[in-house]
Amino acid sequence: AQSVTQLGSHVSVSEGALVLLRCNYSSSVPPYLFWYVQYPNQGLQLLLKYTTGATLVKGINGFEAEFKKSETSFHLTKPSAHMSDAAEYFCAVSEPGRYNNNDMRFGAGTRLTVKP
Amino acid sequence: DGGITQSPKYLFRKEGQNVTLSCEQNLNHDAMYWYRQDPGQGLRLIYYSQIVNDFQKGDIAEGYSVSREKKESFPLTVTSAQKNPTAFYLCASKAGSGANVLTFGAGSRLTVL
C-alpha cells in the first residue's frame, strides 16, 4: 500500500526566507501526489497536485513542488515566505487506476511558522 | 457556491452519549469520506461511501457509524463505544472513481467532557 513520510513536524523560517517542506512517498505504481494546506480550525485546501506530465508543478500562493521519481520525493517550496503562509501542510499520495476509491494516504503534517 | 457544509463547528459531549456530525455537499460528488485528525497523526480514514446506500469501513471505524441515504448527505455518528472521541473531524468528497482531488469541509471539533 502507498504511504507518505513528511520529514519534520515543525519548520520555522523568517519572513522572506525560502520555504522547504519535505515529503517522501512509497507507491507500487506511478503515483498521484498532492500538497494540501490547513489553517487553524479549518478544512484542507489543495495547494497543488502532480498526476502526469511536467514534474515541476506550480500551485496557489506561489508554492511549487517537484516530483523526483529517483528520490521518491515531492518536496514543497516557496522562494519567499509570507506571514500568511503560517499553517499546517499535508502531503498525500494516491495510486491511480485502482477500482477502490479509498486510495488517498496523508502524511502526518508539517506545521510552518513564519517569524517576522 | 458549491462546497461541503459540516455542522456543528464545535460540539461538547458527555461520556456515554452518542453524537451525530452532519456533512452536506452540493457538488454532485459521488464519493464521500470521514476523516479523524489528531495532533501529529495526520488524517485517518473512518468511513467512506462511493455511492448512495453503500459505505465501507476505513482504518479506524470502531465506535463510529454512518449512513448514505442521499447523495448529498453523509452523517457520522460517534457512539459511546468510541474510547477516545475527542478530535477534529473532517468530511470530504470526490467526484468519482476517475477523480483524484478531495474537497474538504471546514471540520467539526468534538470534545468529550
Side-chain angles (χ1 to χ4, degrees):
Chain A
Q2 69 276 36
S3 66
V4 170
T5 301
Q6 291 184 239
L7 302 177
S9 59
H10 291 88
V11 170
S12 180
V13 301
S14 297
E15 192 173 18
L18 172 71
V19 175
L20 171 61
L21 305 182
R22 300 177 185 272
C23 172
N24 288 91
Y25 70 90
S26 172
S27 176
S28 58
V29 301
Y32 288 170
L33 295 159
F34 309 82
W35 276 100
Y36 286 85
V37 61
Q38 183 183 36
Y39 298 100
N41 291 312
Q42 295 295 319
L44 276 67
Q45 177 185 3
L46 181 69
L47 269 180
L48 50 79
K49 67 176 182 178
Y50 169 78
T51 54
T52 59
T55 56
L56 181 64
V57 293
K58 297 184 184 298
I60 61 172
N61 301 338
F63 284 92
E64 63 183 33
E66 186 171 11
F67 170 58
K68 292 188 175 181
K69 182 179 178 181
S70 62
E71 300 177 7
T72 61
S73 69
F74 191 58
H75 301 331
L76 182 70
T77 61
K78 182 175 180 178
S80 177
H82 295 164
M83 297 297 291
S84 60
D85 294 328
E88 188 148 21
Y89 293 81
F90 292 92
C91 183
V93 61
S94 70
E95 293 186 340
R98 290 176 52 176
Y99 173 76
N100 190 332
N101 221 357
N102 166 28
D103 63 354
M104 183 80 75
R105 287 291 182 263
F106 290 85
T110 297
R111 182 168 300 278
L112 175 67
T113 302
V114 182
K115 298 175 292 185
Chain B
D1 288 339
I4 298 177
T5 301
Q6 289 188 239
S7 62
K9 179 68 175 175
Y10 299 95
L11 185 62
F12 297 88
R13 185 194 96 175
K14 293 181 180 179
E15 283 191 19
Q17 290 181 335
N18 292 355
V19 61
T20 296
L21 306 180
S22 171
C23 177
E24 302 280 333
Q25 55 102 354
N26 61 4
L27 300 166
N28 199 33
H29 283 177
D30 292 317
M32 297 186 74
Y33 304 78
W34 274 105
Y35 290 91
R36 171 178 171 142
Q37 184 178 12
D38 297 283
Q41 296 193 47
L43 277 67
R44 294 182 289 168
L45 183 66
I46 304 173
Y47 269 98
Y48 66 103
S49 167
Q50 298 183 60
I51 56 173
V52 175
N53 293 321
D54 185 49
F55 49 83
Q56 286 80 39
K57 293 181 179 180
D59 300 321
I60 57 165
E62 184 176 354
Y64 299 97
S65 65
V66 293
S67 63
R68 186 86 186 277
E69 298 176 359
K70 298 186 300 181
K71 187 176 185 178
E72 305 79 26
S73 179
F74 191 42
L76 173 74
T77 297
V78 185
T79 75
S80 57
Q82 169 51 234
K83 299 302 182 188
N84 185 21
T86 294
F88 191 55
Y89 292 89
L90 288 161
C91 180
S93 68
K94 190 164 68 167
S97 60
N100 54 54
V101 175
L102 289 173
T103 299
F104 284 85
S108 293
R109 185 168 297 281
L110 172 63
T111 302
V112 174
L113 304 174

